[in-house]
Structures are given as structure tokens and as C-alpha cells.
Amino acid sequence: MPNLPPNFELVRVGHPDEMGRRAADHLADLLARRPNAVLALPTGRTPLPFYKELARRAKEGLIDLSDATVFCLDEYRGLFRHNAESCFSFLRRHLLAHAQVGRLFAFDGQAPDPDAECRQYESTLAALGGLDLAVLGIGRNGHLALNEPGSPLDSRTRLVSLTEETRADQVWLFGHLSRVPKQGFTMGLGTLMEAKSVLLLVSGADKADILAMALTGPVTEAVPASVLQRRPHLTLIADEAAAARL
Ligand code: PGA
């Protein structure tokens, strides 16, 4: 079995609730040190137990995000914020509806000038001193946020075309392939790698091969998540199925 780089911490979990608890613990530790932390947060199926646990803790007064700043990692081009499938709506449903969050920055999927929208995202982030924590997932094709295979490893926030594989993986959200947008805004790989810390959440047997490839194979644009190997430190929370090849 390939070995993880020594600077990576792997937390194997047996149940989605445990992933939620461990990920929430990680965030709670950061907030205890830095209540005004700047976070990039993901959408998708993998982080649902994390948000469920954050909602529970917020309701019980066990976690406080009221001074934190949250950036949505990505957004589908062409959606309005209020569209149910937007990343903004996802975070509103799974986080903001349950926890008071200091500030939330989300891409405007309808922005008339996409480049200006991305520059604004980068400059807002820079003015806040950059990310304290990026919570990320990995796509079956190795994408990180919406940085698809072929993305430059030093890429900045930008508008990208989605691969057919990524679009097909979003049918659960949009109901039909024809409704899945063809483009999306994403924080860049270079942008994300500048975060002070990274937490990677991965679940499911269908991620086992790509996870092992990303963390123990060559660092290459063909597997965008392989850029994580350049991190001085990474915390990975994975279920047994996803970690099977590590
Ligand atoms: P998923 O998405 O959690 O829905 O598998 C992860 C990703 O595409 O980054």
C-alpha cells in the first residue's frame, strides 16, 4: 500500500456521524484560537454530516461562528443565488439556517463580468488576510473545488468549464443532466494552497482510487487534488471505504 506523506494526518472514521464530529472538532479548535477565522467551505454530499453536526452544536450553543467569515468555494455559472441548486443556497440551507455566521461571501453566478467577479473574490480574501482554513472534498476525477483536470496548479479564482464527469455527478442535485450548468466559478488551486490549513473530507468506495492517486501519486495537473502534496500539513478525514487504498 502506498504511504501517505509524513506531514499528513489521516483520521479514519467508521460512520458519517463520526466524520461530522471529527470535522466539527477541527473547526471548533480553530475557532477557539481564532474566533474571526476566515473559512472556505464546500458543498456536496460528503460534507453533509459536518454541517449537520455544526447545526446541532450551534443550536446547543457549543460552537460560535458569529465572528467568522465564510467564502463559498465555488458556484455554478448562470444560477441566481436563490436557485435551490446554487452553492449559496446549499450553505444557506445547511449552515446559515442553523448558525449565525459573521459574513458570507458567495459568487454571483449571474455576474455580468466573470473576470471582475473573480478579481473581487481574490481581493476581498486578500484584504481579510487569506484563508485560515479551507475545507475541501475531492471529485471522482480528482477535482478540488471546481478545478477540473488540466487546471494549473497555481491557478487563481476564475470561471471554468465543467467536465462531463463532474456534470454527471451533479444530477442528484439538478434532477437531470440537461439542467446541470456547463461552467462554474471556483477558487483557484493556488488560492486554496495559500490557506493556513486544509481539511480534506472524503467518503465512499468510489473515491478510494482517486484519493490514493492524489495523495501518493505524481503531482500533476491531470489530478488537481495532487497539489495537496505540496502542503506542509494536511488533515484528512476519510471513511474506511475511501481510505481503503491508503
Ligand atoms: P461530493 O462532491 O461530496 O458530492 O462527492 C465532492 C466534490 O465534487 O468535490
Side-chain angles (χ1 to χ4, degrees):
M1 271 201 201
N3 285 326
L4 273 185
N7 45 335
F8 286 11
E9 176 195 353
L10 167 61
V11 179
R12 287 178 195 259
V13 296
H15 189 274
D17 288 348
E18 195 185 351
M19 173 172 291
R21 280 196 302 274
R22 299 299 292 258
D25 286 349
H26 191 92
L27 177 55
D29 283 351
L30 170 63
L31 291 170
R33 281 180 280 121
R34 198 168 164 76
N36 61 346
V38 180
L39 315 169
L41 294 183
T43 58
R45 285 162 292 189
T46 309
L48 287 173
F50 168 54
Y51 290 118
K52 191 173 142 207
E53 178 66 7
L54 290 184
R56 186 191 70 79
R57 292 189 193 192
K59 192 171 162 206
E60 293 178 16
L62 300 173
I63 197 163
D64 181 6
L65 284 148
S66 62
D67 281 332
T69 299
V70 171
F71 283 81
C72 292
L73 271 181
D74 43 35
E75 185 55 277
Y76 297 103
R77 175 74 173 143
L79 295 194
F80 289 100
R81 286 197 177 148
H82 64 255
N83 287 143
E85 303 88 355
S86 73
C87 298
F88 175 77
S89 288
F90 180 99
L91 281 185
R92 196 172 47 187
R93 221 169 24 248
H94 294 290
L95 183 63
L96 303 188
H98 312 281
Q100 195 195 337
V101 172
R103 274 179 299 192
L104 175 78
F105 292 99
F107 294 98
D108 174 3
Q110 287 267 345
D113 182 344
D115 289 346
E117 179 73 6
C118 294
R119 278 196 306 274
Q120 176 72 41
Y121 223 65
E122 288 269 346
S123 61
T124 305
L125 179 59
L128 288 164
L131 294 171
D132 291 298
L133 171 67
V135 182
L136 303 172
I138 184 173
R140 282 189 308 130
N141 65 357
H143 72 204
L144 216 52
L146 288 176
N147 293 281
E148 299 280 41
S151 294
L153 300 182
D154 61 355
S155 51
R156 309 306 302 184
T157 299
R158 67 205 188 288
L159 182 66
V160 297
S161 294
L162 305 183
T163 61
E164 287 312 303
E165 192 174 15
T166 292
R167 293 186 65 238
D169 278 348
Q170 297 309 312
V171 170
W172 69 276
L173 182 61
F174 287 86
H176 193 274
L177 186 60
S178 63
R179 298 191 61 236
V180 182
K182 297 197 163 152
Q183 291 184 304
F185 290 97
T186 184
M187 296 178 90
L189 294 173
T191 315
L192 292 169
M193 286 309 101
E194 287 167 10
K196 293 181 190 74
S197 60
V198 173
L199 173 64
L200 181 65
L201 306 179
V202 190
S203 59
D206 60 342
K207 301 279 179 72
D209 286 337
I210 194 67
L211 181 62
M213 206 183 295
L215 299 188
T216 63
V219 176
T220 163
E221 290 180 2
V223 183
S226 66
V227 74
L228 291 167
Q229 292 183 46
R230 294 189 176 161
R231 293 285 313 171
H233 186 262
L234 175 82
T235 304
L236 162 64
I237 305 179
D239 66 13
E240 295 292 351
R245 300 196 198 293
L246 292 176

